[in-house]
Amino acid sequence: MSSQLNVKMKFPSSGCFKVVPLNCEGSFKALWASVRHSNAPSMDIFVEVSTSQIVTPTPTIPLRLDDVAQFVSLQANDINEGEFDGNLEGDEFDEEFATLDENLIVIEEDGDDDLVFASAPIVEFNKVDPLDEDELNSWKTWESMVRYEKGKEFAVGQVFTNKASISDEVTFYSVQANQFFKVAESKPDTVTYKCGRSPSPCNWRLRATRKDPYSQAFTIVTYKGPHDSSCVGDMVPRDHFNLKRAFISHLIRNYVEGDWGYKVMSVVEVILDKFGYKISYAKAWNAKQRAMGDIFGDWDASYEMLPRFMQGLKESNPGTVVQWSTTPIGNSNVHTFKRVFWAFKPCIEGFEHCRPVLTIDGTHLYGKFKGTILTAMSIDANNQIFPVAFAIVESENNESWSWFMACIRLFVTKRSGLCVISDRHAGIMNAMSEVGSGWEEPHAFHRICIRHLASNVNTRYKNVKVKNMFGSTAMQFQEKKFDIGFARLGEMDRDAQHYVADVGIEKWSICHDGGHRYGILTTNLAEAFNNVLKGARFLPITALVQCIFFRVNAYFVERREEARKRLLQGQHYSSKITHLLEENCKKGAYHKVVSFDHVGGLYQVTTRRGSRNVSRGSHLHTVDLSKRTCTCNKFQTYKYPCSHVYAVCKKMKLNASQFVEISYTTGEHLASYASKFHPLKDEAYWGHYNGPRIVCDEGKRRGKGSMEYRLQPGPVNPEVLTQQETHRSKAIWDGDDKGSLRCRSHLAMHKGFLVSDRVVDFIRESQFYFIHRVVGLKFNVDFITALVERWRPETHTFHLTVGEATVTLQDVQVLLGLRIRGDVVTGTSACNWRALIYELLGRTPGEEDLKGASLRIGWLTEHFSGLPEQANEQVLHQYVRAYLLILMATVMFPDKSGNDIQVVYLPLLRDLDAIDDFSWGSAVLATLYRNLCRSSNMKARDIGGPLILLQLWAWERITIARPIVTGPENPPLIQGPYPLGSQHQLRVDSLGRRWLSVHRRRPQGTTITTLLGYREALDNMRPDQFVWQPYPQAIFSFLPEACYNDSGEWSVVSPMICFDIVEWHLPNRVARQFGWKQNIPEPADTEPKLHKMDKRGAHSRNWAEYHSAYLAMWFRRYQFRFIGVEDNSDMGYNDPYMVWYRDRTRRFISPTFQQAYQAPLGATAYLAHGFAEVHRTCNTEIQAMPQEVPPHYRNIMSNIRDNTSQSLEHVGYSHLLQQFHQPTQETQVEEQHEERGDGSTMQESTAEDDETLQMFRRRSRRTNTSMSPINEEGTPEPSKAKKIWSRLRGKKKT
């Protein structure tokens, strides 16, 4: 009888077991789940013998896990390859098992008795829990530790990596919770922290120790926390006592490590965003320097390390030159660092294969010590920079430049005929002219950078045209063209001509150069190498040299491979030179050649128009191959054939390559980079250094937050602000500040105009009535100028520190009541204006009153001021039209002419019943945009347009120096407080009416009154100083429907048109103004060409036809509505938009940007808290005062209270008035006393400050007593609070 062995298992199912054969993939996976899953029911494995007779199952045979694994591995051959490989421990099987159906496992057998895994009894059976790493490692008792979760409460037993780690965590915990701590005990193995709120701290306490002497880990052994609920105090947004530079440096380490040039103000913003405290610039600067020191080594020790590093560098790279200049300190072996020069051996050898040209330049070092790095660059065969030598010196001066140039001549190259290109620094000029230095002619030739000299011309004579003419003249290759340009320069400015002539024409003119500079015009080669050193100038000195070593090596490796590839490809010349030669060869194909002396190589070449049709042709040039000259002078300048030489070579069948200087060949290119750098040895293998100990020069140590190394104003990425070079912010930063703009509003002419009640009644139902109601607003010229300086014509937005913002169509309708929906305000300039004026106004202006389409406003005020009592309807209409023109001239569309109005608007007023059919709102906004764009140019001196709209928008949106709107004592028509001011009529006026001067006052304590003040205020603008949504839905209930019925038009992306003006409305860049999330916007195209368009020279133009394409877009504007995602949350510092925006904006305008305002020190802080306590006491007494107290006494107390509040507002301490709920005011005083603006600690306070604090405590205790009673005469006796206030006021005056 045949028999068969079958392996089966008992599978648990619905309270019983099923026999399941192990003969398929599903059964193996179920088995493996049971083996691996700790919570799965156990399964028995048994063997069944099948014969022709029925055989009962044999008893269960217990199998080991290894047996099961082996069996499953054998059966895996029947499973499809790639699904299960028999490796029970592998990740692939885990992934495969994870794809199983959680509830159903089906296994099929032959016949009806097939066993099916219908459903697992519980879902969890099919799940495999992840391994518990803590349980697996529980046997490692030395690693069992309780981890601390950042920002949460501490607990006994929590372990920290080291002492610095627990210090950082305690600081983070305290600063985040606005708590303070002190270090009560600090030893190598123990540290104790306690509550730092004084004089009545709570019981909060934390003690940690290092239990294992072989480990740095600290464990919390005592913790009493959290802080008591009463342990709270004044939230001072300036700084926090426990925000030390060590903690901040640890916090920003990753930022600094990723960006060596990480800005100090970025550190300030990171702390502000993370904790809500604005630390001082000095503290942020010191924290960054400490972080740099932690990463790259101590700043001071770096100077001592530099000689050893240089020695190791020379040992690894023999032939490298290093020269020192130090100053010995007394008779000791200690020297003060002064200068160091070095040149790598590969650079020295490679320079011999470059052109004999050096460009030299210096650039400042950043970081903890002042200094300058000097560089000498050459140019390789591929027209790319080639580093030659470096030096770190104290500054650019006569001695340092002479020393640098002497080192180059002595240790780097003795090539004769070198050409040195530089700026006109006095130190360089002296070094190059020093007799016996090896740099005087004919050993070397000094040439001036044309770009620097052109900049000097512009700075000296303030004329861009003169600058451009000089630049054009300097770059002429032919003497005849040079003579023409030089003569024109003299005609434009004779002094400028003499100035550049005194410099020496041969030093800057290409055609007089003699071919020494190889056509290199500027020092851009040396300056461009600064990009190779980007960020390195922020490093300590040894790290800086180390960085230069590795980056120059990478530079060599890349270019060596490039040259090797071209050589293997059989390319005779470098890639850039090959391209230039090919271009000259193509041009030469069109020239005509006449031979005059074939043997002597003398030819005449006549140029012809090339295929590109960019030249006039028919020029004659003489080529002399024997002397290698051409009258075009390019042959002598570049040392390779010009197009005329190529023409001769083609005609005479000569090989033009013989006239290409060898320095352009691929062989020389490769030879320049052939010498290799060698890796540095480990420091342990450096030789012994026997030289003097080098220390830093303390005179070069920078102070805390030195102003000369502030943030660059931006933009870092110029892709958005493409017009920065002509923007007024550029001129201001460069010191060319023209002051405030002249605002052309013509409002003075409106004052003398009498408007009849009948005229007002006629326009009452039109949108012009809202304009009539806001006439009289006074402008803040300085504030408007500061805003214009931040307006960007590239985006039609104000670039503020908190993001982009702009005046939108929503602002126009809500503030001025002007409609958005309607026809475009446009028409034709071709009209008989005199006849039209007579037709619609009933009068004819004189010749002096009407010039073209400009009508004198004075003529309107003279003839239409007031309305005759018996005027008929026709006369009334004439007066209405005249008044509407005046409103347009003074409020809506004022130009910069001074006293004129453009009568092109008059045809739109023919039918007075249809004046509301036009989109006056979009026309006004387009006019404002146009005037902002033009006034943002550095040459602008005045601004026109609807500045009333800009002023109203600024007051609604920006809280800086915003006036306070006072409500009426008896508000009309409504009950309760009326939020829109005393002159605003409910559902009659637009929102802008509430800002009229008759019912607004300047806020108490406002000190910003000048343009410089507003600039710096906007430079320091906080996120809470801009109101992104000033128009809540509730406010519309106070406004007429005309102020919000076009809300569907507010977010259209569309051109706005007003006759010649076309400007784009881009709400997608200011989504936050609509309550939407601001994403990174798409690139904006405001079409700068439109900004140059105006009515001049277009007296007969039909603007509707001329702008027909834009009109079509306007009428299809609904198709381009921008709808964002609702998001009213505050935007964080690291939001993707803000990260993107900060690199692309002009962050600072004022070049005298000062440090953030710091909390006042000592006596001022004492006075502020004293005033706050007096205010609190007076307020408490007034509230508790019985009715029988005479009014005189109450008035005295009220005056004291009001005076203290006004004083606190003036010094920036008004926030103390909101802290009356705190248990004691002295706690706040001590906190303020501790949080010094210079970063000093409590222990560093002066004895005078301590005495002041104690005196305040004594006075504070006396102030808590009740007020003195009324005397017999019925007058109040001087209260103790009043006495204290009197003393404080006297102290303040002192």
Side-chain angles (χ1 to χ4, degrees):
M1 291 183 296
S2 61
S3 61
Q4 181 179 359
L5 295 178
N6 297 317
V7 180
K8 297 187 178 183
M9 66 178 177
K10 287 184 178 181
F11 186 92
S13 176
S14 303
C16 62
F17 287 86
K18 292 183 179 181
V19 178
V20 180
L22 286 172
N23 60 358
C24 67
E25 177 187 359
S27 60
F28 293 149
K29 292 184 176 180
L31 170 62
W32 182 237
S34 177
V35 171
R36 294 191 60 184
H37 203 294
S38 59
N39 296 324
S42 61
M43 290 189 293
D44 292 336
I45 307 296
F46 60 92
V47 178
E48 182 184 74
V49 180
S50 299
T51 63
S52 59
Q53 301 176 358
I54 299 177
V55 180
T56 58
T58 58
T60 301
I61 302 175
L63 299 178
R64 294 179 297 119
L65 180 60
D66 294 340
D67 299 328
V68 175
Q70 182 180 5
F71 177 80
V72 173
S73 177
L74 292 174
Q75 293 293 327
N77 296 328
D78 297 333
I79 300 177
N80 294 332
E81 184 179 357
E83 298 179 355
F84 179 62
D85 59 4
N87 183 5
L88 302 182
E89 301 293 338
D91 293 335
E92 290 184 32
F93 188 86
D94 291 343
E95 296 173 2
E96 197 66 25
F97 183 80
T99 62
L100 287 178
D101 189 287
E102 291 184 343
N103 298 313
L104 188 61
I105 302 177
V106 179
I107 302 177
E108 296 183 357
E109 279 191 337
D110 296 335
D112 297 332
D113 294 331
D114 293 344
L115 297 175
V116 179
F117 293 125
S119 175
I122 54 175
V123 175
E124 287 74 11
F125 179 77
N126 293 324
K127 294 182 179 179
V128 178
D129 293 335
L131 296 177
D132 189 345
E133 296 292 342
D134 292 337
E135 183 177 351
L136 290 176
N137 295 322
S138 60
W139 62 281
K140 301 178 182 178
T141 56
W142 59 87
E143 291 185 358
S144 59
M145 59 178 62
V146 182
R147 300 292 183 181
Y148 170 68
E149 187 176 351
K150 184 178 288 291
K152 303 296 184 181
E153 279 298 322
F154 296 98
V156 174
Q158 290 175 339
V159 182
F160 300 84
T161 308
N162 50 39
K163 191 175 181 180
S165 174
I166 191 171
S167 175
D168 286 348
E169 296 298 349
V170 171
T171 302
F172 189 95
Y173 167 86
S174 301
V175 174
Q176 193 176 51
N178 187 29
Q179 298 292 352
F180 296 88
F181 71 88
K182 292 181 180 178
V183 180
E185 179 186 18
S186 180
K187 297 179 180 179
D189 297 334
T190 305
V191 62
T192 303
Y193 304 96
K194 67 178 184 179
C195 179
R197 204 170 288 280
S198 180
S200 55
C202 70
N203 294 324
W204 185 90
R205 186 179 181 87
L206 186 151
R207 179 181 175 84
T209 62
R210 189 175 68 168
K211 294 184 177 182
D212 187 350
Y214 300 101
S215 171
Q216 295 297 321
F218 272 67
T219 305
I220 296 179
V221 295
T222 303
Y223 181 64
K224 297 179 181 180
H227 290 264
D228 294 347
S229 59
S230 60
C231 188
V232 292
D234 180 23
M235 175 70 176
V236 183
R238 312 286 186 206
D239 205 340
H240 190 287
F241 167 71
N242 294 123
L243 274 174
K244 304 296 185 182
R245 64 174 184 173
F247 170 74
I248 299 172
S249 68
H250 297 161
L251 198 66
I252 64 172
R253 180 182 176 117
N254 290 338
Y255 296 106
V256 175
E257 199 165 10
D259 179 9
W260 302 339
Y262 194 68
K263 305 303 182 183
V264 178
M265 282 304 296
S266 297
V267 178
V268 176
E269 291 168 345
V270 164
I271 300 301
L272 179 63
D273 182 65
K274 201 170 192 67
F275 300 112
Y277 293 98
K278 188 167 187 178
I279 63 175
S280 67
Y281 186 93
K283 181 180 287 188
W285 187 87
N286 281 320
K288 185 206 168 181
Q289 302 312 315
R290 177 159 182 160
M292 295 288 289
D294 291 342
I295 299 169
F296 300 104
D298 182 75
W299 288 88
D300 295 71
S302 184
Y303 281 88
E304 190 170 347
M305 177 67 180
L306 185 59
R308 293 205 64 235
F309 175 80
M310 287 298 195
Q311 178 172 307
L313 178 64
K314 291 195 295 181
E315 291 173 356
S316 301
N317 293 265
T320 295
V321 174
V322 179
Q323 293 295 315
W324 296 88
S325 175
T326 59
T327 303
I329 301 177
N331 296 324
S332 66
N333 194 38
V334 181
H335 289 213
T336 300
F337 175 84
K338 192 174 183 181
R339 308 183 193 108
V340 62
F341 169 93
W342 75 97
F344 304 116
K345 179 186 178 183
C347 297
I348 297 174
E349 294 179 348
F351 176 58
E352 298 301 319
H353 302 277
C354 295
R355 276 166 268 180
V357 177
L358 284 177
T359 64
I360 58 176
D361 191 37
T363 184
H364 291 295
L365 296 180
Y366 303 138
K368 208 167 186 176
F369 293 93
K370 300 176 183 178
T372 301
I373 181 168
L374 306 182
T375 58
M377 301 290 137
S378 185
I379 186 168
D380 64 17
N382 199 32
N383 278 357
Q384 293 177 317
I385 56 178
F386 183 89
V388 177
F390 307 88
I392 296 176
V393 300
E394 68 280 13
S395 64
E396 290 189 77
N397 54 55
N398 291 347
E399 186 180 352
S400 62
W401 272 116
S402 295
W403 181 78
F404 179 67
M405 298 305 294
C407 287
I408 293 177
R409 188 50 103 183
L410 291 174
F411 305 109
V412 177
T413 181
K414 293 180 170 54
R415 293 173 69 177
S416 181
L418 278 175
C419 177
V420 178
I421 303 174
S422 72
D423 57 27
R424 297 181 66 242
H425 190 280
I428 300 176
M429 302 296 287
N430 291 334
M432 294 301 300
S433 60
E434 185 177 351
V435 178
S437 64
W439 295 109
E440 70 275 20
E441 296 186 11
H443 305 293
F445 300 90
H446 187 207
R447 299 293 181 257
I448 302 300
C449 170
I450 295 177
R451 179 174 61 85
H452 279 93
L453 188 55
S455 179
N456 294 340
V457 169
N458 187 49
T459 301
R460 195 180 187 95
Y461 299 102
K462 307 294 184 183
N463 192 324
V464 177
K465 293 183 178 179
V466 172
K467 167 192 168 183
N468 293 339
M469 178 54 66
F470 164 74
S472 175
T473 302
M475 295 172 63
Q476 296 299 329
F477 288 91
Q478 302 175 35
E479 287 194 24
K480 62 179 181 180
K481 294 182 178 180
F482 172 86
D483 293 338
I484 295 173
F486 196 66
R488 290 178 180 175
L489 178 64
E491 294 172 0
M492 297 173 67
D493 194 317
R494 183 66 63 182
D495 292 338
Q497 185 189 45
H498 291 162
Y499 171 74
V500 296
D502 291 341
V503 173
I505 293 179
E506 75 284 352
K507 291 187 179 295
W508 51 265
S509 170
I510 290 293
C511 65
H512 296 89
D513 166 57
H516 298 296
R517 62 195 304 162
Y518 281 73
I520 301 173
L521 306 177
T522 68
T523 59
N524 287 356
L525 292 176
E527 295 175 3
F529 194 76
N530 291 336
N531 291 330
V532 179
L533 302 180
K534 185 178 181 181
R537 291 182 289 159
F538 292 88
L539 300 178
I541 188 168
T542 300
L544 168 61
V545 177
Q546 207 170 9
C547 176
I548 293 175
F549 169 76
F550 285 105
R551 290 192 174 176
V552 172
N553 169 65
Y555 189 83
F556 264 59
V557 170
E558 180 181 345
R559 277 145 186 79
R560 185 187 305 126
E561 291 304 313
E562 177 185 342
R564 181 180 286 113
K565 288 180 181 179
R566 289 193 64 82
L567 195 62
L568 292 176
Q569 293 170 359
Q571 302 293 333
H572 191 59
Y573 301 110
S574 62
S575 56
K576 292 185 179 180
I577 299 302
T578 298
H579 174 73
L580 294 173
L581 295 178
E582 289 174 350
E583 288 294 315
N584 286 346
C585 184
K586 290 179 183 178
K587 291 173 61 177
Y590 296 93
H591 299 338
K592 180 181 178 181
V593 178
V594 177
S595 176
F596 281 79
D597 183 358
H598 178 65
V599 176
L602 188 64
Y603 305 91
Q604 184 184 74
V605 179
T606 304
T607 62
R608 295 182 180 179
R609 186 187 299 272
S611 59
R612 294 181 297 169
N613 294 326
V614 295
S615 59
R616 292 174 296 173
S618 300
H619 293 296
L620 296 178
H621 290 284
T622 301
V623 174
D624 190 336
L625 295 181
S626 62
K627 296 180 180 179
R628 293 179 176 252
T629 62
C630 177
T631 53
C632 74
N633 206 34
K634 293 180 182 179
F635 189 18
Q636 302 93 294
T637 299
Y638 293 120
K639 308 295 193 300
Y640 59 72
C642 60
S643 62
H644 314 114
V645 174
Y646 266 105
V648 171
C649 291
K650 182 180 179 181
K651 172 77 173 179
M652 308 310 299
K653 294 181 173 51
L654 299 175
N655 185 1
S657 61
Q658 62 181 305
F659 301 108
V660 180
E661 190 172 279
I662 190 175
S663 62
Y664 292 109
T665 62
T666 305
E668 289 296 285
H669 190 202
L670 179 59
S672 299
Y673 300 98
S675 185
K676 298 179 177 62
F677 287 83
H678 297 282
L680 293 173
K681 298 177 183 178
D682 186 83
E683 184 178 351
Y685 296 96
W686 294 352
H688 181 67
Y689 172 69
N690 296 319
R693 177 188 168 209
I694 306 295
V695 296
C696 57
D697 183 355
E698 288 297 328
K700 295 299 179 181
R701 188 186 297 273
R702 285 203 174 97
K704 299 177 180 179
S706 175
M707 287 300 300
E708 59 184 307
Y709 297 101
R710 278 289 191 176
L711 266 177
Q712 290 300 315
V716 177
N717 188 329
E719 67 179 12
V720 174
L721 304 188
T722 57
Q723 301 180 39
Q724 179 58 39
E725 289 302 311
T726 59
H727 197 268
R728 67 186 304 109
S729 62
K730 171 74 163 53
I732 294 170
W733 191 267
D734 292 343
D736 187 16
D737 184 3
K738 298 299 191 298
S740 297
L741 294 166
R742 292 177 300 226
C743 295
R744 306 287 192 176
S745 63
H746 315 320
L747 288 179
M749 298 185 177
H750 191 281
K751 292 181 179 179
F753 189 82
L754 300 178
V755 186
S756 169
D757 292 340
R758 290 180 62 190
V759 173
V760 174
D761 291 340
F762 189 93
I763 66 173
R764 190 178 299 275
E765 299 303 322
S766 74
Q767 51 188 305
F768 287 92
Y769 181 70
F770 302 115
I771 301 296
H772 164 74
R773 292 283 291 169
V774 298
V775 171
L777 184 75
K778 295 181 180 179
F779 299 144
N780 187 333
V781 177
D782 292 330
F783 191 28
I784 288 178
T785 302
L787 287 174
V788 172
E789 292 166 357
R790 288 190 169 274
W791 176 263
R792 304 306 308 202
E794 302 95 332
T795 60
H796 284 172
T797 56
F798 297 100
H799 276 228
L800 307 173
T801 59
V802 296
E804 292 181 74
T806 194
V807 187
T808 67
L809 291 173
Q810 178 194 40
D811 299 300
V812 179
Q813 188 168 22
V814 175
L815 294 174
L816 297 182
L818 296 177
R819 288 195 60 187
I820 309 303
R821 183 184 295 113
D823 294 332
V824 173
V825 177
T826 188
T828 180
S829 297
C831 182
N832 186 341
W833 297 115
R834 195 175 304 278
L836 182 66
I837 293 173
Y838 178 78
E839 175 190 352
L840 298 182
L841 300 183
R843 296 177 182 272
T844 303
E847 294 293 335
E848 68 282 359
D849 298 320
L850 179 66
K851 296 180 180 179
S854 299
L855 177 64
R856 189 170 63 88
I857 300 176
W859 181 81
L860 289 173
T861 59
E862 292 168 7
H863 294 88
F864 296 94
S865 180
L867 178 68
E869 295 183 0
Q870 304 300 324
N872 57 27
E873 185 174 356
Q874 180 181 2
V875 175
L876 173 63
H877 288 183
Q878 293 170 352
Y879 274 70
V880 168
R881 294 188 186 99
Y883 182 56
L884 294 181
L885 282 178
I886 290 179
L887 287 179
M888 293 178 184
T890 57
V891 180
M892 298 170 65
F893 309 112
D895 57 21
K896 295 187 293 185
S897 62
N899 58 358
D900 292 340
I901 174 64
Q902 296 295 312
V903 292
V904 292
Y905 303 102
L906 189 56
L908 307 182
L909 307 179
R910 182 186 298 276
D911 184 0
L912 292 176
D913 295 330
I915 57 176
D916 281 347
D917 293 342
F918 294 97
S919 176
W920 295 105
S922 65
V924 167
L925 187 58
T927 304
L928 177 63
Y929 279 12
R930 173 60 58 84
N931 282 273
L932 286 171
C933 290
R934 289 186 171 177
S935 299
S936 64
N937 188 280
M938 61 172 58
K939 297 181 181 180
R941 297 294 179 268
D942 48 22
I943 183 174
L947 299 182
I948 189 171
L949 172 60
L950 179 59
Q951 183 72 84
L952 293 173
W953 176 86
W955 282 338
E956 290 287 348
R957 299 277 181 178
I958 303 175
T959 62
I960 295 173
R962 172 197 282 177
I964 296 176
V965 177
T966 57
E969 296 181 0
N970 299 307
L973 303 179
I974 61 172
Q975 299 297 325
Y978 187 52
L980 301 187
S982 58
Q983 299 299 312
H984 188 278
Q985 293 187 21
L986 180 67
R987 300 186 186 92
V988 172
D989 291 325
S990 63
L991 187 61
R993 171 73 178 178
R994 68 170 175 157
W995 294 103
L996 286 187
S997 59
V998 294
H999 69 288
R1000 66 179 174 87
R1001 64 182 176 86
R1002 187 177 167 203
Q1004 295 290 342
T1006 300
T1007 58
I1008 304 176
T1009 58
T1010 65
L1011 173 59
L1012 293 179
Y1014 286 115
R1015 277 181 191 157
E1016 293 186 7
L1018 292 177
D1019 282 347
N1020 288 285
M1021 191 176 190
R1022 303 189 309 270
D1024 62 337
Q1025 290 179 319
F1026 190 88
V1027 182
W1028 290 106
Q1029 298 180 65
Y1031 315 128
Q1033 194 65 31
I1035 208 170
F1036 292 148
S1037 61
F1038 299 101
L1039 305 178
E1041 185 179 356
C1043 291
Y1044 55 84
N1045 58 1
D1046 291 342
S1047 58
E1049 311 263 349
W1050 290 348
S1051 62
V1052 295
V1053 178
S1054 171
M1056 302 177 295
I1057 305 168
C1058 180
F1059 284 91
D1060 57 305
I1061 298 174
V1062 178
E1063 298 292 344
W1064 279 91
H1065 183 244
L1066 302 173
N1068 59 308
R1069 301 192 73 88
V1070 292
R1072 284 185 285 175
Q1073 292 184 207
F1074 298 92
W1076 298 327
K1077 178 177 178 57
Q1078 181 63 65
N1079 296 315
I1080 297 175
E1082 296 292 330
D1085 183 9
T1086 57
E1087 300 189 59
K1089 63 180 181 180
L1090 296 174
H1091 299 158
K1092 301 178 181 180
M1093 189 178 302
D1094 53 30
K1095 299 184 182 73
R1096 291 176 296 184
H1099 303 299
S1100 60
R1101 180 170 295 170
N1102 186 328
W1103 293 106
E1105 295 179 357
Y1106 191 79
H1107 292 318
S1108 59
Y1110 296 104
L1111 262 71
M1113 296 180 192
W1114 169 258
F1115 289 118
R1116 291 187 290 113
R1117 61 190 180 277
Y1118 291 104
Q1119 301 176 19
F1120 304 101
R1121 287 179 61 195
F1122 171 71
I1123 304 296
V1125 178
E1126 185 174 351
D1127 182 7
N1128 293 318
S1129 61
D1130 294 334
M1131 182 171 287
Y1133 176 81
N1134 291 318
D1135 185 273
Y1137 167 77
M1138 291 304 299
V1139 173
W1140 172 88
Y1141 173 72
R1142 281 192 296 270
D1143 282 346
R1144 290 161 178 81
T1145 188
R1146 185 77 169 186
R1147 301 181 69 182
F1148 304 115
I1149 302 298
S1150 175
T1152 58
F1153 173 66
Q1154 301 297 321
Q1155 295 183 13
Y1157 174 74
Q1158 300 300 312
L1161 308 179
T1164 307
Y1166 153 72
L1167 287 172
H1169 286 80
F1171 274 43
E1173 177 64 19
V1174 172
H1175 186 284
R1176 184 192 67 80
T1177 303
C1178 292
N1179 199 58
T1180 303
E1181 291 293 332
I1182 292 173
Q1183 294 176 1
M1185 200 172 288
Q1187 294 293 333
E1188 57 272 16
V1189 174
H1192 176 65
Y1193 185 82
R1194 185 185 299 273
N1195 291 339
I1196 291 177
M1197 298 296 295
S1198 298
N1199 289 337
I1200 294 174
R1201 180 192 61 187
D1202 295 341
N1203 286 332
T1204 54
S1205 64
Q1206 292 174 10
S1207 299
L1208 287 171
E1209 288 180 355
H1210 182 73
V1211 297
Y1213 269 76
S1214 59
H1215 62 281
L1216 296 179
L1217 302 179
Q1218 303 172 8
Q1219 305 293 330
F1220 297 148
H1221 63 282
Q1222 305 301 343
T1224 59
Q1225 197 73 11
E1226 57 186 292
T1227 300
Q1228 299 174 2
V1229 176
E1230 186 157 352
E1231 292 166 13
Q1232 186 68 29
H1233 180 71
E1234 293 170 359
E1235 295 168 359
R1236 292 175 167 271
D1238 60 357
S1240 60
T1241 62
M1242 290 189 301
Q1243 289 74 14
E1244 297 170 339
S1245 59
T1246 63
E1248 179 183 355
D1249 288 339
D1250 291 336
E1251 182 181 355
T1252 302
L1253 183 61
Q1254 295 299 327
M1255 181 172 61
F1256 173 73
R1257 289 173 177 168
R1258 293 194 297 271
R1259 293 183 177 182
S1260 179
R1261 285 193 289 269
R1262 291 201 300 267
T1263 306
N1264 290 331
T1265 61
S1266 60
M1267 304 298 294
S1268 300
I1270 309 297
N1271 61 20
E1272 296 178 354
E1273 299 173 352
T1275 59
E1277 293 181 354
S1279 65
K1280 292 183 179 180
K1282 181 178 179 182
K1283 291 178 181 178
I1284 292 175
W1285 179 81
S1286 300
R1287 294 194 200 104
L1288 295 177
R1289 184 174 59 177
K1291 179 71 174 177
K1292 179 172 171 50
K1293 290 181 179 179
T1294 302

